[in-house]
Structures are given as structure tokens and as C-alpha cells.
């Protein structure tokens, strides 16, 4: 077997969206004749844990772990948080508008922890992996970010081992990411971020990302072709024992639900319908699975819908999917941020495979909307399209009452993780 070294901060037992891309991709690499060698922290400061994901690791996988020091305890001390506090998705956006201690911590994060708080792992990792590469044959290296410190580890290795092909995987942008403008950067720090980003983009043998929009944005910085390898779904996760729908009109969201994704107009529409129709109020269930920002819960509370909310902070991944499979509607709100046109949430592909109606909220000309339209898997509405959202909710509810709420999703099989793993190998062997 050929061997591919994958440098990733996110790996089981850590949970969440950042884990899935390379956990699932690596699962199907051995079928292509490639053995995955995972390099990951021994003691990451994970926002969530999911022990069930350990069972997803292919038996042919070698996992290398090395200790990491991260300054999050200092952040907890500065902001008065408890030592065991977990950081939710979007914490930078929340902290940037908080009290002076939170704003100071964001300033330190942006200007001194470049490119991110995992920067202290870069040099030790280069030293550790250089020894490993000297003693073992590796055919390709993948670095996946964020955190973009993973790319700087690979950059250091590329200088020492120029003949090994390096693929830099941008799951999210670097300087174009939605919270970059909230980092309170000095001109010096902004320049350094951009210089490091440009170096990674130009020194890597191949650069891949998750959507056409992201590829266009990154190519403007790198002045080179950017390959697209979408996120996807694992067919093995969708072998459910039964296909029984909820009796309630369940609108479910799965995964991190941060402040920038808060669909405030949706909550007001649901409030309006609940006030018009007592049966709608009685049937409505808003199911939130995963870390949910307090601003979203506050918006729901302000619309007198809190009694309709079911909050499940975390579930094993497959258990979460089984709950979604029983849901009437799957909610897909996108980040209301400058880079939204290229955002393709990882959960979207799993929504497609669940074959339940999707209610997506974001620009209707963005990359995600094209996929939902092509697969006939649901409806898309602009952030402020209250009229369209209300019509869709009314239509979905009428179909629900007739036990006829279905979608005829199709043509989504190209996003199978098995097919995407083959695409990675095609890039690695070019």
C-alpha cells in the first residue's frame, strides 16, 4: 500500500463537523490502495467529544499523537470562565462584542497567536514528523485547516522533504473566513496572516477546498488552480432499522448553531403561525441537536416558542442522524457573512442522504442552493425572504397534516465519501 500522512487537529474522540471530512475520507482510502497515517494532538482542547466515532477509524489506519499546549486556560482565566468550559463554534464572534476582557482576549488571539492558538504545536510537530519521515516511506502529505497551523506544519516538512507531494486542504478560508474581520487585527498582524496564507497556497503541490465559491476566492490570492473536493456523506451511516416519522411537525437542526446563523425571520414566522392556529402551536417541535448559541435560544424565547423547543446538546453522530431521519423538516441556516456564497455546510450532504425536506436560508444564488436545487431536496430562501419562508412552512405543514410531506431527492450519490476518497487519490497521484 502507498501511504498518505494526514495532519489534522480534529480526530476522534473529538466530535463535531471538523472531524468528519478526514475521518470519513480516510475510511475509504484503503480501498484505493492507500494507507492513512493520521497525525493529531494527544490532548486537544475539543469543544465536544464523541467516543462513538472511534469505531469509524479504519483498522488499517495508523494514528500518531503528540502532546499539544494551547493557551485556552489563559483565555478562560481572562474571561472568568470555569476551567472545564468548552468553546462553542463562533466563540470569536461572541467574544469580540463582549466585555473588555473578552475583547482583549480576541485582540491577543488575532495579533499574537498567528495563525491560531495551535501555533505552539508547529515546531515540535515538524521535528517529530521529520524523524518519522526519515524512518518511514510516505507518498503524500495532506494538511487540513482550520486550524491553519496544520498547514504550517506541512510547509515546514515540505522544505525538508521537497519530493513528497503536499496537498493543502482548506475546509474553510483563512483570511476570508467570516470571523477574520472581528479579530481586531493591527496592520502588522493582518500582513503576517496574509503572508503566511500566500506562502501555503503557493508552496503546496495542490490546494483543495470544499466549494466553487471558496475555490474562486482562494485562487484570487494564490493565482493558481484550486481543486474542489466536496464534503459528503458516508452511506454506512444511513442504514437505519426503521423509517418512522415524528408525529409532531418537527423542524430539526443538527450540529453547531452559532450566532451568525440565527434565522430570526423564521422564528417570527413560526410565532405568527402559532398565534393564528392553535393546532400548529401544539404540533410544532423545534429540535436543536448540538451546541446552540444563547442568542438563538433568546430569539426563540422572544417569539414565545421556547415551550416548543427540544434541546439536545450532543449525541453520538449516528444517533443524531437517526433523529433527523424521523424529522419532518431539516433546517439549514447559513452564516450571514461575507464569504457565504462559497459555504457548503458538511451537514447539508447528510441532509441530502436522509431524504427529508430541507429548509435552507441563505443567498439563493450561492453554491449550496445549486446543489439543493439539482438534487430536488428542499427549498432555499434569502435571509430576508419572509414571504417565501412563510409560504414554504405553510406548504410543508399542510403536507404534514396529510402525512404526505416527502421529497424525491436524487443525484446526490456523487457526494458519497467513497467517491470523494477516489478523487483525493487522483489528485495525490497527478
Amino acid at each position: 500500500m502507498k501511504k498518505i500522512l494526514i495532519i489534522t487537529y480534529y480526530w476522534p474522540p473529538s466530535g463535531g463537523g471538523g472531524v468528519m471530512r478526514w475521518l470519513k475520507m480516510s475510511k475509504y482510502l484503503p480501498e484505493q490502495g492507500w494507507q492513512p497515517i493520521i497525525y493529531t494532538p494527544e490532548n486537544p482542547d475539543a469543544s465536544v467529544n464523541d467516543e462513538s466515532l472511534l469505531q469509524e477509524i479504519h483498522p488499517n489506519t495508523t494514528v500518531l499523537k503528540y502532546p499539544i499546549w494551547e493557551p485556552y486556560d489563559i483565555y478562560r482565566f481572562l474571561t472568568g470562565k470555569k476551567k472545564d468550559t468548552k468553546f462553542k463554534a463562533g466563540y470569536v464572534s461572541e467574544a469580540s462584542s463582549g466585555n473588555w476582557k473578552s475583547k482583549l482576549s480576541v485582540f491577543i488571539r488575532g495579533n499574537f497567536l498567528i495563525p491560531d492558538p495551535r501555533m505552539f504545536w508547529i515546531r515540535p510537530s515538524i521535528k517529530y514528523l521529520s524523524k518519522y519521515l526519515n524512518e518511514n516511506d510516505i507518498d503524500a502529505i495532506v494538511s487540513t485547516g482550520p486550524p491553519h497551523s496544520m498547514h504550517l506544519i506541512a510547509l515546514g516538512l515540505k522544505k525538508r522533504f521537497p519530493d513528497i507531494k503536499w496537498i493543502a486542504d482548506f475546509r474553510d478560508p483563512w483570511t476570508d473566513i467570516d470571523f477574520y474581520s472581528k479579530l481586531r487585527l493591527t496592520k502588522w498582524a493582518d500582513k503576517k496572516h496574509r503572508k503566511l496564507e500566500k506562502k501555503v497556497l503557493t508552496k503546496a503541490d495542490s490546494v483543495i477546498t470544499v466549494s466553487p465559491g471558496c475555490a474562486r476566492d482562494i485562487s484570487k490570492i494564490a493565482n493558481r488552480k484550486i481543486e474542489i473536493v466536496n464534503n459528503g456523506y458516508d452511506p454506512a451511516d444511513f442504514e437505519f432499522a426503521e423509517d418512522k416519522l415524528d408525529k409532531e411537525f418537527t423542524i430539526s437542526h443538527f450540529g453547531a448553531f452559532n450566532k451568525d446563523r440565527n434565522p430570526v425571520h423564521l422564528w417570527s414566522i413560526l410565532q405568527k403561525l402559532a398565534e393564528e392556529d392553535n393546532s400548529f402551536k401544539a404540533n410544532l417541535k423545534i429540535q436543536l441537536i448540538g451546541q446552540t448559541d444563547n442568542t438563538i435560544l433568546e430569539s426563540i424565547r422572544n417569539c414565545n416558542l421556547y415551550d416548543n423547543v427540544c434541546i439536545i446538546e450532543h449525541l453520538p453522530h449516528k444517533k443524531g442522524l437517526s433523529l433527523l431521519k424521523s424529522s419532518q423538516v431539516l433546517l439549514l441556516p447559513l452564516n450571514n457573512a461575507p464569504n457565504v456564497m462559497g459555504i457548503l455546510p458538511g451537514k447539508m450532504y447528510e441532509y441530502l442522504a436522509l431524504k427529508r425536506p430541507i429548509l435552507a436560508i441563505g443567498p439563493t444564488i450561492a453554491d449550496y442552493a445549486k446543489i439543493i436545487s439539482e438534487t430536488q431536496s428542499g427549498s432555499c430562501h434569502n435571509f430576508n425572504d419572509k414571504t417565501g419562508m412563510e409560504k414554504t412552512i405553510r406548504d410543508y405543514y399542510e403536507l404534514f397534516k396529510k402525512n404526505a410531506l416527502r421529497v424525491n431527492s436524487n443525484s446526490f450519490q456523487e457526494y458519497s465519501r467513497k467517491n470523494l476518497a477516489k478523487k483525493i487519490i487522483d489528485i495525490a497521484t497527478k
Side-chain angles (χ1 to χ4, degrees):
M1 272 192 164
K2 289 190 173 184
K3 296 182 179 181
I4 184 165
L5 173 66
I6 301 166
I7 302 169
T8 176
Y9 178 82
Y10 298 106
W11 191 254
S14 297
V19 174
M20 292 301 167
R21 181 166 171 87
W22 285 100
L23 170 63
K24 296 295 189 179
M25 204 84 77
S26 65
K27 180 178 176 180
Y28 292 102
L29 289 174
E31 292 182 14
Q32 305 293 329
W34 286 68
Q35 181 190 1
I37 314 291
I38 306 299
Y39 178 67
T40 195
E42 185 178 275
N43 53 321
D45 201 321
S47 59
V48 293
N49 285 322
D50 187 345
E51 298 283 342
S52 73
L53 295 180
L54 291 167
Q55 301 169 25
E56 300 282 328
I57 301 172
H58 194 282
N60 282 3
T61 303
T62 296
V63 180
L64 309 174
K65 294 190 175 184
Y66 193 82
I68 187 173
W69 180 79
E70 302 172 80
Y72 286 115
D73 282 342
I74 298 173
Y75 173 80
R76 292 182 178 98
F77 174 77
L78 277 175
T79 56
K81 297 182 184 297
K82 294 180 180 178
K83 196 172 180 65
D84 59 352
T85 299
K86 298 292 187 182
F87 293 100
K88 294 182 178 181
Y91 80 92
V92 169
S93 297
E94 183 178 339
S96 66
S97 58
N99 60 29
W100 71 268
K101 291 182 179 180
S102 295
K103 290 177 180 177
L104 175 61
S105 69
V106 171
F107 180 83
I108 293 170
R109 154 71 175 89
N111 292 278
F112 296 99
L113 305 178
I114 299 175
D116 49 63
R118 284 80 179 205
M119 62 176 288
F120 302 100
W121 202 50
I122 296 170
R123 288 187 179 181
S125 296
I126 293 171
K127 182 178 179 181
Y128 174 86
L129 289 174
S130 292
K131 184 175 185 295
Y132 185 85
L133 293 177
N134 278 321
E135 297 172 355
N136 298 270
D137 291 330
I138 295 292
D139 298 281
I141 296 172
V142 171
S143 58
T144 180
H148 300 298
S149 288
M150 305 304 107
H151 297 313
L152 298 187
I153 294 169
L155 177 65
L157 295 176
K158 185 65 176 177
K159 292 176 182 177
R160 300 185 183 193
F161 303 90
D163 294 334
I164 301 178
K165 182 156 188 178
W166 168 29
I167 302 170
D169 172 40
F170 282 75
R171 302 189 321 276
D172 283 309
W174 187 329
T175 57
D176 276 341
I177 201 164
D178 48 15
F179 62 77
Y180 186 77
S181 63
K182 300 177 181 179
L183 287 174
R184 312 178 79 84
L185 298 174
T186 61
K187 289 183 179 179
W188 173 86
D190 177 57
K191 186 176 180 181
K192 186 167 183 180
H193 275 284
R194 294 182 188 280
K195 182 179 179 181
L196 290 173
E197 177 185 36
K198 185 74 174 285
K199 190 174 288 189
V200 168
L201 292 173
T202 54
K203 297 296 183 182
D205 295 291
S206 294
V207 178
I208 63 175
T209 191
V210 298
S211 72
C214 284
R216 285 191 298 271
D217 291 342
I218 294 172
S219 67
K220 292 175 185 176
I221 301 169
N223 194 27
R224 65 179 294 179
K225 181 181 179 182
I226 309 298
E227 305 273 2
I228 300 168
V229 179
N230 299 77
N231 284 310
Y233 71 96
D234 182 356
D237 287 343
F238 297 86
E239 298 168 354
F240 301 112
E242 55 183 282
D243 188 7
K244 188 175 181 181
L245 291 174
D246 292 340
K247 293 181 179 179
E248 302 96 338
F249 183 57
T250 313
I251 300 175
S252 294
H253 180 274
F254 187 40
F257 202 169
N258 64 35
K259 180 179 180 180
D260 290 337
R261 295 178 190 154
N262 188 6
V264 290
H265 292 312
L266 173 64
W267 310 135
S268 65
I269 290 164
L270 295 177
Q271 178 186 24
K272 176 185 175 183
L273 297 179
E275 290 173 350
E276 287 179 0
D277 183 350
N278 289 334
S279 66
F280 182 88
K281 171 72 172 175
N283 283 318
L284 177 64
K285 178 180 176 182
I286 303 169
Q287 184 168 250
L288 307 177
I289 307 169
Q291 290 184 331
T292 302
D293 192 89
N294 288 331
T295 57
I296 293 165
L297 299 179
E298 191 62 28
S299 293
I300 294 172
R301 186 180 284 107
N302 290 339
C303 289
N304 299 319
L305 296 171
Y306 203 75
D307 291 343
N308 298 86
V309 175
C310 173
I311 302 171
I312 305 172
E313 290 195 357
H314 185 66
L315 282 176
H317 189 68
K318 286 188 178 180
K319 177 64 176 176
L321 292 176
S322 68
L323 278 184
L324 291 179
K325 181 64 174 175
S326 301
S327 300
Q328 298 292 343
V329 179
L330 305 179
L331 177 60
L332 185 70
L334 271 73
N335 286 39
N336 194 349
N339 67 328
V340 68
M341 300 301 288
I343 293 177
L344 289 176
K347 68 173 70 69
M348 180 187 72
Y349 300 96
E350 295 182 318
Y351 283 11
L352 298 179
L354 287 164
K355 299 181 182 179
R356 296 303 304 148
I358 296 172
L359 173 60
I361 302 172
T364 56
I365 58 172
D367 291 339
Y368 85 94
K370 182 178 179 182
I371 291 177
I372 289 176
S373 175
E374 289 176 347
T375 56
Q376 300 178 46
S377 53
S379 59
C380 304
H381 299 282
N382 287 311
F383 292 116
N384 296 319
D385 181 17
K386 295 177 70 173
T387 302
M389 275 186 255
E390 181 176 337
K391 183 179 185 307
T392 293
I393 293 292
R394 288 185 183 277
D395 290 346
Y396 281 174
Y397 185 63
E398 289 303 313
L399 290 169
F400 157 78
K401 290 193 294 184
K402 298 173 185 175
N403 195 28
L405 182 52
R406 302 283 189 277
V407 287
N408 297 314
S409 301
N410 57 59
S411 303
F412 58 83
Q413 290 78 8
E414 67 177 286
Y415 304 113
S416 161
R417 296 286 188 182
K418 184 181 293 190
N419 293 332
L420 297 169
K422 183 179 184 305
K423 195 169 183 179
I424 286 290
I425 296 310
D426 289 343
I427 293 169
T429 52
K430 275 185 180 179

